[in-house]
Amino acid sequence: MNTSLTRAPQHTASALSLPVVETRLGLLDRLSLRLGLWLLTRAAARADQRAHRTAPADLTNHAALERARREPHWQRQALLSRPPL
């Protein structure tokens, strides 16, 4: 068993203890937090809508580019597979 990677014991005396000060948030703080949360969720929803709108277009564009790249090769193969006149 490898004991070199075990954690050192945690001593409560070595932990820094700070007094916890509980203060209630004021009205302005609560309103600004709600506004910030609303703005973040709105931005995320807009980014999600944009991603859903552009994803099919990107796939369609990618498919068109791939088809344009493969079509000359396919036509060349089709002409070579036919017997000469």
Side-chain angles (χ1 to χ4, degrees):
M1 177 192 287
N2 187 0
T3 59
S4 63
L5 297 177
T6 58
R7 289 180 53 188
Q10 300 295 320
H11 299 288
T12 57
S14 66
L16 180 63
S17 61
L18 295 174
V20 177
V21 179
E22 293 185 20
T23 57
R24 293 186 52 94
L25 293 176
L27 177 65
L28 187 60
D29 293 328
R30 288 194 310 258
L31 286 175
S32 64
L33 286 172
R34 284 188 184 200
L35 176 65
L37 182 62
W38 179 76
L39 288 172
L40 284 173
T41 54
R42 187 179 72 156
R46 284 184 175 186
D48 195 33
Q49 286 176 352
R50 231 177 282 125
H52 284 302
R53 252 187 285 145
T54 58
D58 289 343
L59 291 176
T60 304
N61 192 20
H62 180 68
L65 289 173
E66 185 69 22
R67 186 171 47 250
R69 186 182 67 81
R70 288 184 181 192
E71 186 141 350
H73 179 70
W74 177 84
Q75 289 176 353
R76 192 176 319 111
Q77 291 296 328
L79 286 174
L80 291 175
S81 67
R82 292 181 188 156
L85 293 175

